[in-house]
Amino acid sequence: MDNKTVYKETIGFSIRSLLWDLLATIIFVGCMVAGFFILEKTSNLGLLGLGVGAIVGGIFAYLILHFIGYAYKAGQIAMMTKAVSEGKLPEDTIGEGKKIVKERFGTVAAYFAITGVIKGIFRQIGNGITAIGNAVGGDAGGTIGGTISAVIETIVAYLCDCCLGWVFYRKDEKASKATLEGAVIFFKHGKTLAKNLGRVFGISIISFILIGGIFFGISWLIMQAFPNLFSSLSAAIAEISENVPAWASDTTTLTLVCAGLTGIVMWSIIHSTFVRPFILVGVLRNFIKSGIEDKPSEKSFDELDEKSKKFKELHAKIEAEI
């Protein structure tokens, strides 16, 4: 199965993930708007209501994405892994993906425990590379290190998903042991995986300009239909303190900022559910292929112990269980 076919066959996960993301966003924004209008009319404390609404909406959104959204993301990675390693997928892709996630991790807590370890390992390795950039860069070390850090954060997000894919691939191995193997694959085959960087950043930039720009324009037009909302909001902000930035107390500028933030949020949702999975298929294929051709060994584990404290801790824990 080529990358496009794999993407098309697993797009159902993206669509369901998008629907849940949109529901979470609607609840979040709805709570903010409701909080603002309720307290604005009852006690002239609209800004406080906005904050309270954001907190309440944020809690609901977190619960939805944490306990429901994860199954679709993990299920998609499981099915992508099956496609690139076996060259085929079951008829009920969605059902099989969710089933595999449940069988591999059992509970939500177990899933997030493993993914938390994966992120911790890759971030520690990334921090070490950033530190080298700071050290060798001289006066420009901070800039070099910061640039490296930003790039690594993007790479780490993809590597975490690839490592999770390897955990699914190694279904007969303990999830913790497979996690260590995934980290080793990156460490040993970093140059091969780096070939995907142009694709990762190129497509991401194009999607940001197109998707973000379109939703910025749409949001601006919609917000123009509610001038009283933003005039009241800017007035409330201006009353807080004399040191409030000028843009925050200006209705037009505040509307532009809100439209811009909306565009970024919508880009993030659509990119992560539709564009990013397309990029991930290619990165995941190279990752799994590298691991199959050169399976990680205990010697590789010992080498990586020196580069990541979290890796060393998990390695020691696994050794103690044997």
Side-chain angles (χ1 to χ4, degrees):
M1 300 178 72
D2 60 22
N3 292 350
K4 289 184 179 179
T5 303
V6 175
Y7 174 76
K8 290 178 180 178
E9 291 294 324
T10 57
I11 194 66
F13 290 100
S14 296
I15 294 173
R16 286 163 175 76
S17 180
L18 176 62
L19 292 175
W20 283 109
D21 281 345
L22 288 176
L23 176 61
T25 302
I26 290 171
I27 292 175
F28 178 69
V29 175
C31 287
M32 290 177 62
V33 173
F36 176 82
F37 277 116
I38 291 173
L39 287 191
E40 180 68 18
K41 289 184 177 181
T42 58
S43 57
N44 198 32
L45 294 173
L47 195 61
L48 176 61
L50 187 71
V52 172
I55 294 174
V56 174
I59 292 174
F60 279 112
Y62 170 79
L63 292 175
I64 289 173
L65 299 178
H66 188 82
F67 289 100
I68 299 176
Y70 91 95
Y72 292 106
K73 177 182 178 180
Q76 186 174 43
I77 293 173
M79 289 296 94
M80 284 182 176
T81 301
K82 188 176 184 66
V84 301
S85 61
E86 300 178 14
K88 60 182 180 179
L89 284 173
E91 185 175 344
D92 183 12
T93 306
I94 302 295
E96 184 66 18
K98 294 171 69 174
K99 178 184 175 183
I100 289 177
V101 172
K102 187 174 182 180
E103 290 176 346
R104 194 65 170 111
F105 297 104
T107 65
V108 177
Y111 166 79
F112 282 105
I114 287 297
T115 53
V117 171
I118 292 173
K119 291 177 182 178
I121 290 173
F122 282 121
R123 284 206 171 97
Q124 281 197 334
I125 295 173
N127 290 340
I129 298 174
T130 301
I132 294 175
N134 288 331
V136 304
D139 294 336
T143 302
I144 294 174
T147 302
I148 292 175
S149 179
V151 172
I152 286 176
E153 278 297 310
T154 302
I155 298 172
V156 163
Y158 282 92
L159 289 176
C160 287
D161 288 347
C162 289
C163 190
L164 181 59
W166 182 258
V167 172
F168 284 122
Y169 174 74
R170 296 280 285 158
K171 56 187 176 183
D172 296 327
E173 184 62 80
K174 286 185 177 180
S176 53
K177 178 70 175 296
T179 298
L180 296 183
E181 292 178 348
V184 169
I185 292 171
F186 162 68
F187 177 67
K188 293 183 66 177
H189 302 278
K191 291 182 179 179
T192 300
L193 300 174
K195 295 178 181 179
N196 295 281
L197 291 183
R199 186 183 187 193
V200 169
F201 288 103
I203 296 177
S204 297
I205 291 172
I206 292 173
S207 79
F208 178 76
I209 294 173
L210 292 179
I211 299 173
I214 289 172
F215 278 97
F216 167 76
I218 293 174
S219 300
W220 169 256
L221 292 175
I222 293 175
M223 291 176 183
Q224 288 298 296
F226 301 95
N228 293 335
L229 171 62
F230 289 94
S231 60
S232 299
L233 182 59
S234 60
I237 294 175
E239 293 176 359
I240 296 177
S241 171
E242 295 180 355
N243 297 323
V244 173
W247 65 265
S249 57
D250 179 75
T251 303
T252 301
T253 308
L254 182 62
T255 305
L256 281 171
V257 171
C258 290
L261 291 175
T262 302
I264 292 174
V265 169
M266 292 306 299
W267 165 78
S268 177
I269 292 174
I270 294 176
H271 179 84
S272 63
T273 53
F274 284 109
V275 182
R276 190 176 183 278
F278 178 73
I279 302 172
L280 179 61
V281 175
V283 181
L284 181 63
R285 185 184 295 278
N286 288 338
F287 191 95
I288 299 298
K289 181 181 178 182
S290 296
I292 293 175
E293 293 177 349
D294 186 9
K295 185 180 175 181
S297 62
E298 281 296 328
K299 182 179 179 181
S300 301
F301 291 170
D302 294 336
E303 293 175 354
L304 201 51
D305 278 343
E306 302 176 0
K307 300 181 180 296
S308 172
K309 182 179 179 181
K310 286 187 177 294
F311 183 95
K312 185 176 182 179
E313 291 174 352
L314 185 58
H315 188 195
K317 181 179 179 180
I318 293 174
E319 288 291 325
E321 293 175 351
I322 298 177

